[in-house]
């Protein structure tokens, strides 16, 4: 393949199926020594299954894997580590109450004295310029620092191949830059890196080669530096990507959704969940809230949507009406709709049909209930309207929400709220785990709703999404919201600092816990 | 031949309805084996318990009498269980409902009029509701587990019953027997089929079950209960109050059990006696589950359990089977039903193993 040089890892015709889905279909590609190789694809494209087979978590059904040209047999992760394969998972497996060193010792296969281990850990930290105190307790560390523990763990094995699964999804821009530096140094020493991501900008900056998966198949192998983000995205989704069109000359109306010094007590262990949050959104404006997960976003959404009413009625004003103590459905009647981050079991009931899921939130605004009885006809009609308008792929309004793929369910949920034409819409992670095509459709729908005069709040961890979508941006950190800034002159550097907490590294009172995102549901 | 357990892509609707049928069938088979091993005629036991009550038309009226309270209580419990409110103290609510109705009957014993029975029914419902409101209050206010409170209050209710009929409510003409006076004619349920022992309880139970079925499937109230039960976060998001649902679930369960208590005391019993607690409240738990927590299914399940009761009495006489044997059959049915529900979400798949094929089948996670 590559003029004589033997690839570090070569996959030939790998196939793996699960009940109802072919996760990998005849996948072949090769990773050269010292290469940073991106594995690119949407949720459910088969990336995770593939690396699980490389790391020995599950065996392939068909096909061959070669390691430095030799047939490779990895019945379990231990065997993979022995070969020199290290992996850093998206979800960390760390004990919060133990120190960095104790956590590393727990993950080691061999037996090493504490002193030897500490010496080796310090050596690795020094070699790669990583800052991490081996004696700190994990619960006091930031997400970026926690990830460094996992990286050190992998590096202690002197890996020849390092697999990184979505490593940047919880990092601030500064932490991402630092991570990339480490990875480049590793690669320059001959370690191959298999980098799994769907963030195209990062792949363009970091990777030498990209293998793109779609529906379990390899659809292209390319040099990301030669491609545009758009061309790769189109390969990923297998179609044309529509740009979000936004009228730049739009004017905003008067403030329509006002939050005034909103504070929410925490659950006891972490003090205040929200502290003096104030914001004001005008008609037609999209207000973005950036931040690393676990900094109060969920509490903010619950307080704004009315799921958890707050104690002061005038802390939240919807079109001038005090609504702080009102619960979700009462706020809906005032014109505020909301979409929480978690789709299954929160924004929708997986066991219910799409019709029933329409009744869930649209029953009053759309008159789906008359005299205590559900109007099936009207509910079905509304559900079908949402399915049509938002091109939701479903067998019909009688399909259960749980049978839809993540992206399609999200389109349905967003459509269900948007078609109620709310005056105020609050959404959290509107495109989390959603494929690029569906994400573009959702973004466009949000822009259109704003253009029609609604005030919109978007809470997201995806900074690129917020920068593309919003007119105004603020950052949430440890329950405090920064001053709003117009997106037109936003400074990424400054946003990154705000996301990491402006009060510096010395403050260790409470750092966000790592997000544990549930696996995206497999397509059925 | 090897089998592998794997998760179904979607829960099987067929299995949801097939499981109760299978549970009953497997109960018959296992029951026959167990009682044969114990030295009884196992096959005859199953025949007498499960088939004689159906084949012998004379037993049908007994079925109606036994099924009525089971259906009534089972429907109330099914609604609560749908909302994830685990009221297992329907027996206590049934007793207090019966006592409340008795209280009205004793206070109006010298009166006549059509309104006495409705008044007693209201008292029964109110009594059951009041008794169920204790666990509801404790759960909503102090997050006390309703499984414990409802169960323990059952024993309190039994003591209350004993106190009343051994004490203030004891009939002066009962020659020392702990029982109240016989209710008067206007306080006793009428027989609706002449020449049988079927009283108004049976049609009331069926009508209540059908109304409940309609409300659960079509009304916003049923929607609220189902949402709170399956997805509490989604319910909060939809604006359904979890506390309100706890109250509703317990009040409905208590009210229906109380009504069943009134129908029993003014029907088959005709007075309050120490034998009034007949475990209907506990058996109705099996009825609710066997009926798939669906009020329409509860009607069928109530009949099935009634068959085992009536059949148990038959088997006692004909082959000398001890009456607790019926309890074994009923418990086995619930146990197998819950075990069978595994197959709603999982299935067995045959694994082909041949020496030539690569051991891909070991892929089970």
């Amino acid at each position: 393949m590559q003029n004589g040089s033997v690839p570090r890892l070569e996959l030939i015709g790998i196939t793996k199926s699960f009940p109802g889905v072919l996760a990998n279909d005849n996948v072949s590609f090769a990773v050269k020594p010292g290469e940073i190789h991106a594995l690119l694809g949407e949720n459910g494209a088969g990336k995770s299954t593939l690396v699980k087979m490389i790391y020995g978590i599950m065996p392939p059904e068909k096909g061959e894997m070669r390691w430095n040209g030799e047939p490779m047999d990895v019945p379990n992760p231990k065997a993979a580590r022995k070969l020199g394969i290290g992996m850093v998972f998206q979800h960390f497996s760390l004990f919060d109450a133990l120190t960095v060193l104790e956590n590393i010792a727990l993950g080691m296969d061999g037996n090493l004295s504490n002193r030897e281990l500490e010496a080796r850990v310090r050596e690795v930290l020094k070699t790669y310029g990583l800052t991490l105190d081996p004696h700190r307790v994990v619960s006091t560390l930031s997400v970026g620092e926690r990830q460094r523990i996992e990286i050190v763990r992998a590096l202690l094995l002197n890996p020849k191949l390092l697999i990184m699964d979505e490593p940047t999804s919880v990092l601030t821009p500064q932490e991402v830059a630092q991570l990339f530096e480490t990875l480049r140094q590793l690669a320059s020493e001959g370690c191959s890196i298999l980098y799994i991501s769907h963030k195209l900008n990062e792949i363009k900056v970091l990777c030498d080669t990209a293998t793109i998966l779609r529906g379990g198949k390899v659809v292209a192998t390319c040099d990301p530096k030669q491609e545009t983000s758009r061309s790769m995205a189109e390969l990923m989704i297998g179609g044309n990507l529509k740009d979000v069109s936004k009228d730049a000359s739009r004017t905003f109306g008067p403030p329509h959704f006002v939050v005034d010094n909103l504070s929410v007590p925490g659950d006891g262990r972490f003090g205040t969940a929200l502290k003096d949050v104030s914001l004001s959104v005008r008609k037609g404006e999209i207000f973005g809230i950036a931040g690393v997960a676990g900094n109060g976003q969920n509490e903010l959404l619950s307080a704004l949507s009315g799921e958890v009413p707050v104690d002061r009625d005038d802390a939240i004003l919807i079109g001038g009406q005090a609504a702080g103590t009102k619960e979700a459905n009462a706020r809906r009647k005032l014109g505020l709709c909301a979409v929480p981050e978690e789709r299954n079991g929160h924004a929708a009931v997986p066991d219910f049909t799409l019709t029933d899921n329409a009744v869930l939130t649209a029953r009053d605004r759309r008159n789906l209930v008359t005299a205590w009885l559900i109007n099936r006809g009207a509910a079905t009609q509304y559900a079908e309207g949402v399915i049509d308008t938002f091109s939701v792929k479903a067998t019909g309004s009688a399909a259960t929400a749980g049978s839809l793929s993540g992206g399609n369910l999200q389109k349905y949920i967003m459509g269900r709220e948007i078609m109620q034409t709310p005056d105020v819409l609050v959404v959290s992670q509107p495109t989390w785990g959603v494929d690029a095509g569906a994400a573009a459709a959702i973004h466009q729908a949000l822009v259109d709703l704003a253009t029609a005069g609604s005030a919109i709040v978007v809470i997201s961890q995806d900074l690129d999404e917020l920068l593309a979508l919003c007119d105004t941006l603020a950052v949430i950190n440890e329950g405090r919201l920064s001053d709003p800034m117009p997106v037109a002159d936003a400074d990424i550097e400054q946003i990154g600092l705000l996301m990491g907490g402006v009060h510096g590294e010395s403050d260790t009172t409470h750092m966000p816990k790592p997000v544990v995102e549930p696996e995206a549901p497999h397509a059925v | 031949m090897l089998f592998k357990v794997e998760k179904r892509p979607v829960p099987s609707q067929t299995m949801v309805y097939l499981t109760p049928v299978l549970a009953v069938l497997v109960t018959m088979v296992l029951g026959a084996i167990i009682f044969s091993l114990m030295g009884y005629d196992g096959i005859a036991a199953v025949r007498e318990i499960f088939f004689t009550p159906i084949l012998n038309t004379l037993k049908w009226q007994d079925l109606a009498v036994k099924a009525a309270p089971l259906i009534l209580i089972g429907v109330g419990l099914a609604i609560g269980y749908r909302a994830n409110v685990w009221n297992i103290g329907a027996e206590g609510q049934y007793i207090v409902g019966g006592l409340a109705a008795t209280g009205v009957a004793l206070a109006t014993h010298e009166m006549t009029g059509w309104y006495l029975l409705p008044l007693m029914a209201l008292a029964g419902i109110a009594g059951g509701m009041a008794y169920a409101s204790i666990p509801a209050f404790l759960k909503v206010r102090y997050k006390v587990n309703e499984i414990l409170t409802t169960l323990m209050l059952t024993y309190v209710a039994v003591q209350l019953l004993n106190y009343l009929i051994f004490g203030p409510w004891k009939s002066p003409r009962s020659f020392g027997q702990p029982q109240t006076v016989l209710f008067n004619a206007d306080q006793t349920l009428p027989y609706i089929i002449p020449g049988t022992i079927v009283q108004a309880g049976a049609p009331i139970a069926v009508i209540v079950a059908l109304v409940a079925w309609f409300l659960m499937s079509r009304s916003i109230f049923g929607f609220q209960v189902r949402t709170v039960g399956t997805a509490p976060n989604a319910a909060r998001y939809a604006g359904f109050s979890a506390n309100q649902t706890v109250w509703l679930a317990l009040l409905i369960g208590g009210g229906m059990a109380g009504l069943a208590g009134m129908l029993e005391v003014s029907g088959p019993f005709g007075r309050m006696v120490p034998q009034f607690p007949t475990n209907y409240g506990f058996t109705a738990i099996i009825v609710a589950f066997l009926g798939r927590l669906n009020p329409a299914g509860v009607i069928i399940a109530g009949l099935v359990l009634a068959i085992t009761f009536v059949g148990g009495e038959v088997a006692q006489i004909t082959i000398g089977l001890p009456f607790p044997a019926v309890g074994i059959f009923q418990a086995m049915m619930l146990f197998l039903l819950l075990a069978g529900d595994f197959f709603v979400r999982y299935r067995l798949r045959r694994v082909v193993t041949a020496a030539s094929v690569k051991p891909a089948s070991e892929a089970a996670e």
Side-chain angles (χ1 to χ4, degrees):
Chain A
M1 182 176 171
Q2 186 68 30
N3 50 29
S5 87
V6 181
R8 176 69 40 87
L9 173 77
E10 192 175 8
L11 303 185
I12 304 155
I14 297 291
T15 299
K16 176 84 185 172
S17 64
F18 295 109
V21 61
L22 191 57
N24 287 137
D25 183 5
N26 202 14
V27 171
S28 305
F29 68 90
V31 184
K32 285 174 282 185
E35 178 187 46
I36 305 184
H37 192 116
L39 198 53
L40 186 62
E42 302 195 310
N43 286 288
K47 295 167 297 182
S48 296
T49 310
L50 199 58
V51 294
K52 278 180 187 165
M53 289 189 284
I54 298 171
Y55 196 55
I57 295 171
M58 52 173 81
E61 271 158 30
K62 259 192 265 169
E64 197 189 343
M65 295 193 280
R66 284 191 192 153
W67 182 251
N68 293 328
E70 307 281 322
M72 140 178 164
D73 180 35
V74 279
N76 54 49
K78 200 169 171 175
R81 285 195 290 268
K82 213 165 171 188
L83 280 178
I85 301 175
M87 181 151 175
V88 175
F89 289 91
Q90 189 179 1
H91 311 305
F92 312 142
S93 36
L94 298 171
F95 293 96
D96 277 7
L98 300 182
T99 65
V100 172
L101 205 59
E102 285 164 340
N103 265 291
I104 292 174
L106 279 172
M108 296 294 286
D109 289 331
N111 240 337
L112 262 162
S113 78
N114 274 352
R115 203 180 305 159
E116 275 176 290
L117 185 66
E118 185 174 345
R120 286 189 53 193
V121 168
R122 287 198 185 278
E123 191 189 311
V124 167
L125 289 172
K126 203 175 141 212
T127 314
Y128 295 98
L130 298 168
T131 41
L132 191 64
D133 178 353
H135 294 290
R136 279 272 292 276
V137 175
V138 167
S139 60
T140 66
L141 299 178
S142 73
V143 180
E145 289 171 304
R146 286 166 199 234
Q147 188 182 52
R148 264 172 245 156
I149 305 178
E150 295 278 8
I151 294 172
V152 169
R153 233 183 214 177
L155 293 185
L156 281 171
L157 304 162
N158 298 319
K160 304 286 179 294
L161 172 70
L162 184 63
I163 304 170
M164 307 276 306
D165 189 4
E166 302 272 357
T168 60
S169 55
V170 291
L171 302 184
T172 66
Q174 281 85 354
E175 286 171 324
V176 170
Q178 207 172 2
L179 172 71
F180 283 4
E181 223 166 282
T182 310
L183 294 182
R184 286 201 189 94
Q185 189 187 344
L186 261 173
S188 70
E189 291 165 4
C191 177
S192 305
I193 292 164
L194 192 56
Y195 187 89
I196 300 161
S197 181
H198 63 266
K199 293 193 180 169
L200 302 157
N201 294 336
E202 293 179 358
I203 284 169
K204 268 180 73 67
V205 173
L206 182 72
C207 300
D208 308 314
T209 316
T211 295
I212 302 175
L213 290 178
R214 186 171 72 231
K217 288 194 178 87
V218 175
V219 288
T221 300
C222 61
D223 178 353
K225 297 196 169 69
Q226 305 297 316
E227 300 281 330
T228 61
S229 294
R230 189 194 182 86
S231 65
M232 286 194 287
E234 287 180 348
L235 282 169
M236 233 161 86
I237 62 169
N240 282 324
L241 197 63
K242 269 194 292 182
D243 281 322
V244 174
S245 65
K246 197 160 134 184
D247 180 6
S249 63
R250 244 153 17 107
T251 50
F252 303 129
H256 194 69
F257 182 54
V258 179
V259 178
D260 173 45
N261 276 311
L262 172 75
S263 292
V264 171
D267 62 4
R269 284 188 306 145
F270 295 109
T272 321
L274 293 176
K275 183 96 181 111
D276 297 333
V277 170
S278 296
L279 59 91
S280 166
V281 191
R282 291 164 287 181
K283 284 188 163 214
E285 182 179 9
I286 305 183
F287 189 101
I289 295 176
V292 176
N295 273 294
Q297 287 97 328
N298 291 342
E299 289 82 357
L300 182 60
L301 183 101
S302 298
L304 296 187
S305 71
E307 283 187 50
V308 181
V310 294
D311 47 13
R312 243 180 60 235
D313 209 26
D314 59 354
I316 294 168
L317 298 174
I318 301 169
Q321 276 187 283
T325 55
K326 290 196 161 64
E327 49 80 45
N329 214 40
R331 290 193 200 180
R332 230 168 251 136
K333 287 179 192 162
L334 287 179
L336 180 143
C337 289
V339 178
E341 170 181 344
E342 177 63 48
R343 288 184 281 273
N344 284 311
H346 197 173
V349 184
D351 293 344
F352 283 9
T353 62
L354 293 180
T355 302
D356 277 354
N357 272 296
V359 176
L360 197 66
T361 66
R363 58 186 190 279
D364 289 320
R365 293 185 68 84
R366 284 278 148 177
N367 297 323
L368 305 183
V369 173
T370 25
W372 283 57
L373 290 183
I374 295 168
N375 186 339
R376 291 239 160 255
T380 307
Q381 206 182 352
Y382 183 63
E384 277 167 3
V386 173
I387 292 169
D388 285 348
T389 315
F390 283 79
S391 330
V392 178
K393 273 185 222 141
T395 51
S397 58
T400 60
S403 70
L404 267 61
S405 73
N408 275 304
L409 183 54
Q410 186 71 7
K411 279 201 282 189
Y412 181 78
I413 293 166
M414 293 296 295
R416 179 187 69 191
E417 303 306 318
I418 288 172
M419 284 180 69
Q420 298 179 42
T421 53
D423 297 329
V424 181
L425 181 67
V426 182
V427 295
S428 179
Q429 302 280 64
T431 59
W432 168 70
V434 164
D435 58 74
I442 289 170
H443 286 160
Q444 188 60 53
L446 284 171
V447 168
D448 291 346
L449 184 68
T451 309
S454 298
I456 299 179
V457 177
V458 180
I459 303 171
S460 177
Q461 289 164 49
D462 186 344
L463 199 51
D464 296 338
E465 167 174 65
L466 292 174
L467 292 173
L469 199 59
C470 300
D471 306 300
T472 314
L473 190 68
V475 176
I476 190 166
N477 178 258
E478 295 189 10
R480 286 167 216 262
L481 195 66
S482 74
D483 291 334
M485 55 192 112
V487 164
D489 43 54
D491 173 9
I492 305 276
E493 189 72 15
Q494 197 208 340
I495 294 172
L497 287 172
L498 287 168
M499 283 166 74
V502 272
H503 33 279
E505 297 236 328
S506 61
D507 188 338
T508 58
T509 46
H510 134 237
M511 282 297 192
K513 296 175 75 91
V515 257
V516 181
E517 294 174 3
E519 276 289 287
H522 279 290
V524 177
Chain B
M1 199 162 69
L2 278 171
F3 286 96
K4 181 170 111 177
V5 174
E6 70 180 24
K7 205 169 165 67
R8 293 175 191 271
V10 279
S12 161
Q13 279 305 304
T14 320
M15 281 312 290
V16 167
Y17 297 108
L18 202 58
T19 309
V21 178
L22 287 176
V24 173
L25 292 178
V26 177
T27 300
M28 292 182 194
V29 174
L30 287 181
I33 294 172
I34 289 172
F35 283 95
S36 295
L37 291 175
M38 286 168 67
Y40 295 96
D41 183 349
I43 291 171
V46 169
R47 188 191 61 226
E48 296 289 54
I49 290 179
F50 287 96
F51 295 102
T52 305
I54 307 175
L55 299 175
N56 184 346
T57 50
L58 284 175
K59 293 288 172 200
W60 288 5
Q61 42 181 313
D62 294 298
L63 291 184
V65 170
K66 290 279 180 195
L70 289 174
I71 291 171
L72 215 42
I73 304 172
V75 166
L77 292 183
I79 293 172
Y81 295 165
R82 269 290 168 94
N84 266 356
V85 175
W86 302 105
N87 173 10
I88 58 168
E91 183 76 4
Q93 295 138 24
Y94 160 88
I95 294 170
V96 174
L99 287 175
T102 306
V104 171
L106 295 181
T108 62
H109 202 245
E110 307 306 321
M111 298 189 219
T112 54
W114 60 268
Y115 56 86
L116 288 182
L117 277 171
L119 201 63
M120 286 165 67
L122 284 180
I125 294 171
M129 280 185 169
Y131 209 52
S133 67
I134 301 169
F137 172 78
L138 291 174
K139 182 173 174 77
V140 167
R141 187 68 184 273
Y142 301 110
K143 295 192 168 35
V144 181
N145 189 324
E146 77 279 12
I147 299 177
L148 295 174
T149 47
T150 52
L151 179 63
M152 291 192 296
L153 282 170
T154 298
Y155 305 112
V156 177
V158 172
Q159 299 311 320
L160 180 67
L161 164 77
N162 285 335
Y163 163 73
L164 288 171
I165 57 173
F166 278 92
W169 285 3
K170 191 156 87 176
S171 164
R173 283 159 291 168
S174 68
F175 305 103
Q177 293 273 17
Q179 57 186 26
T180 65
V181 294
L182 211 55
F183 295 176
N184 72 32
D186 282 349
Q187 295 168 336
T188 311
L189 289 183
Y191 293 94
I192 49 156
I193 305 175
T196 67
I197 56 165
V198 179
Q199 288 167 309
I204 289 177
V206 172
I207 291 167
V208 167
L210 291 177
V211 170
W213 171 76
F214 181 76
L215 289 179
M216 282 301 285
S217 57
R218 294 293 305 277
S219 77
I220 193 69
F221 160 73
F223 188 82
Q224 168 172 355
V225 167
R226 286 186 286 136
T227 310
V228 170
T230 42
N233 286 336
R236 205 177 51 170
Y237 166 62
F240 296 132
S241 155
N243 286 345
Q244 186 199 43
T245 312
V246 168
W247 271 105
L248 279 172
L250 277 162
L251 289 182
I252 289 172
M256 306 263 259
L259 177 61
M262 173 270 169
L263 292 174
E264 282 300 292
V265 77
S266 63
F269 287 98
R271 56 154 57 117
M272 186 52 83
V273 292
Q275 295 77 35
F276 181 70
T278 35
N279 279 349
Y280 281 139
F282 292 116
T283 311
I285 298 172
I286 306 179
V287 171
F289 278 104
L290 198 65
R292 305 274 70 176
L293 304 186
N294 177 333
V298 165
I299 299 180
I300 300 168
L303 277 173
V304 171
L305 268 291
I307 287 171
T308 64
F309 274 124
V310 174
E313 282 164 13
V314 174
Q316 219 176 340
I317 296 159
T318 55
I319 59 170
L321 203 67
F323 192 67
V326 173
I328 295 181
F329 276 101
Q330 291 173 348
M332 207 148 57
M333 223 183 280
L334 178 63
F335 178 79
L336 289 166
L337 177 78
L338 297 179
D341 273 347
F342 176 78
F343 293 101
V344 173
R345 289 188 179 273
Y346 294 86
R347 64 183 169 204
L348 287 179
R349 207 178 59 172
R350 247 179 83 178
V351 174
V352 190
T353 41
S356 59
V357 182
K358 271 194 158 183
S361 57
E362 287 161 22
E365 286 162 62

